[in-house]
Amino acid sequence: MNIVRTIADLKKDIRHFKLDHHSIGFVPTMGFLHEGHLTLARKARTENDTVIMSIFVNPLQFGPNEDFERYPRDEERDIKLAEEAGVDLLFLPSVEEMYPEEPAVTLTVHKRTSALCGLTREGHFDGVATVVMKLFHLTEADRAYFGKKDAQQLAVIHGLVDSLNVPIEIIGVETVREPDGLAKSSRNVYLLPEEREKAPAIYRALQLVKKSVEAGEADIALLKEKARRMLEEEGGAEIDYLEILSYPELEPADSASGTIIAAAAVKYKNARLIDNIILPVKGSASCSAQ
Ligand code: AMP
């Protein structure tokens, strides 16, 4: 595995891949790798000649009171895990390398951000879209892999690629979970032991929505109320949101046809966790992967 830290070195390697007509699969991450990230990398490995992973904690997508400074980092371990997952090129740029000066142009996301994390994380998805667009240009990838755990992010990336005609295929990958259902996340390390015990209630509450929908329940308000009650009773956390919306539009689900998302964000003492499930509405045949 080749490790590069500068854009100049990255471009040199990309030139060789392109000369060899390699297809390039790209996995953008913020590091502190776990099975979720590695699943993305392994899928990219099976579908492309060359796999590039980036590890970059992007300051543009963190608010002033968020956890940019204390976001977990372990470069040595990440290098080992990325190599084991079959990554060919690991791009590890510094903040100065990515943003040598204040950018003259950044992106603004206009749709799919007025709900869920977009409500409280102002500017977050603009920062995500901007860095992802830079990374798409830098890697010249054919395919990019994103986790459905960050379903709103995935919806925004689909919007970005569609709106700006970015020549890349976006692949959504199922959420990887701990055996007790908790979605794997770099931020799980910040859970206190008693919080870690209770956190699987997030997934249980989402599963309750799924089972109720499958049993024929179509009243969105009732579904939300049932799930919220379970999460309040068992989650041991402050609920930031528990929503059921259309997906990928993220609009009120009452009139949804096709696919809905049940999504939750909860705040523990040192970590804010998100999770979701995406499911077809009754009577609809498809559950789109967007
Ligand atoms: P992050 O490092 O948190 O920015 O995540 C990098 C990529 O890994 C994103 O596309 C995430 O959606 C994805 N990812 C994070 N956690 C999981 C998970 N538990 N299962 C699947 N993908 C994940």
Side-chain angles (χ1 to χ4, degrees), residues 189-243:
V189 290
Y190 289 131
L191 294 175
L192 305 173
E194 60 273 25
E195 292 176 336
R196 173 63 190 83
E197 236 168 75
K198 292 189 169 169
I202 306 167
Y203 185 53
R204 284 202 301 276
L206 297 172
Q207 283 294 103
L208 181 62
V209 174
K210 181 168 188 271
K211 284 184 194 133
S212 306
V213 168
E214 283 167 357
E217 182 56 72
D219 183 335
I220 299 290
L222 191 81
L223 287 164
K224 276 202 281 197
E225 185 45 41
K226 271 167 83 171
R228 174 175 285 274
R229 207 174 318 128
M230 176 186 266
L231 191 48
E232 267 167 7
E233 280 167 16
E234 301 177 20
E238 180 193 336
I239 300 175
D240 190 347
Y241 60 72
L242 194 153
E243 265 300 346

Side-chain angles (χ1 to χ4, degrees), residues 8-24:
D9 285 345
L10 176 67
K11 280 182 174 291
K12 269 187 222 156
D13 283 355
I14 302 285
R15 205 171 307 134
H16 289 298
F17 300 146
K18 292 286 169 182
L19 280 174
D20 291 342
H21 300 288
H22 277 197
S23 60
I24 298 176

Side-chain angles (χ1 to χ4, degrees):
M1 185 178 74
N2 202 1
I3 299 171
V4 301
R5 294 176 189 275
T6 66
I7 288 172
D9 285 345
L10 176 67
K11 280 182 174 291
K12 269 187 222 156
D13 283 355
I14 302 285
R15 205 171 307 134
H16 289 298
F17 300 146
K18 292 286 169 182
L19 280 174
D20 291 342
H21 300 288
H22 277 197
S23 60
I24 298 176
F26 173 48
V27 182
T29 82
M30 297 201 298
F32 211 69
L33 301 180
H34 53 67
E35 264 312 297
H37 302 111
L38 301 176
T39 301
L40 266 56
R42 288 190 208 106
K43 185 162 171 59
R45 175 74 285 158
T46 63
E47 297 176 356
N48 301 276
D49 299 318
T50 294
V51 177
I52 302 179
M53 177 184 276
S54 63
I55 295 181
F56 180 58
V57 185
N58 172 37
L60 245 56
Q61 69 191 66
F62 286 78
N65 299 318
E66 294 184 357
D67 56 351
F68 174 71
E69 293 298 342
R70 59 178 197 91
Y71 194 84
R73 292 161 169 92
D74 188 342
E75 193 177 287
E76 208 175 305
R77 183 171 159 276
D78 284 351
I79 289 171
K80 201 167 150 279
L81 290 174
E83 184 153 33
E84 283 167 10
V87 171
D88 299 300
L89 192 161
L90 187 60
F91 181 44
L92 293 169
S94 64
V95 172
E96 294 69 34
E97 185 68 13
M98 288 295 277
Y99 304 113
E101 55 187 47
E102 196 183 328
V105 175
T106 56
L107 295 177
T108 305
V109 183
H110 298 290
K111 286 189 178 172
R112 306 178 176 183
T113 53
S114 56
L116 308 183
C117 294
L119 282 178
T120 48
R121 302 194 70 187
E122 205 194 325
H124 170 68
F125 291 108
D126 296 344
V128 169
T130 300
V131 78
V132 162
M133 194 65 175
K134 277 169 78 79
L135 290 166
F136 284 175
H137 283 135
L138 289 170
T139 57
E140 299 181 45
D142 299 280
R143 299 183 189 88
Y145 295 79
F146 290 86
K148 291 189 190 175
K149 171 175 172 278
D150 299 284
Q152 187 169 21
Q153 171 172 277
L154 180 58
V156 164
I157 301 297
H158 275 292
L160 165 74
V161 165
D162 290 347
S163 296
L164 300 184
N165 305 99
V166 187
I168 193 165
E169 186 184 352
I170 302 302
I171 316 272
V173 180
E174 289 305 324
T175 300
V176 179
R177 299 179 178 284
E178 302 287 354
D180 60 13
L182 178 65
K184 299 233 183 199
S185 166
S186 304
R187 290 182 171 106
N188 288 352
V189 290
Y190 289 131
L191 294 175
L192 305 173
E194 60 273 25
E195 292 176 336
R196 173 63 190 83
E197 236 168 75
K198 292 189 169 169
I202 306 167
Y203 185 53
R204 284 202 301 276
L206 297 172
Q207 283 294 103
L208 181 62
V209 174
K210 181 168 188 271
K211 284 184 194 133
S212 306
V213 168
E214 283 167 357
E217 182 56 72
D219 183 335
I220 299 290
L222 191 81
L223 287 164
K224 276 202 281 197
E225 185 45 41
K226 271 167 83 171
R228 174 175 285 274
R229 207 174 318 128
M230 176 186 266
L231 191 48
E232 267 167 7
E233 280 167 16
E234 301 177 20
E238 180 193 336
I239 300 175
D240 190 347
Y241 60 72
L242 194 153
E243 265 300 346
I244 301 176
L245 300 167
S246 66
Y247 192 82
E249 301 82 6
L250 303 179
E251 283 163 7
D254 304 279
S255 56
S257 65
T259 305
I260 58 171
I261 182 171
V266 304
K267 281 187 194 160
Y268 288 103
K269 186 161 180 279
N270 298 313
R272 178 180 175 279
L273 303 185
I274 59 169
D275 198 358
N276 70 82
I277 47 169
I278 297 171
L279 60 150
V281 174
K282 198 170 175 240
S284 162
S286 72
C287 177
S288 104
Q290 276 220 351

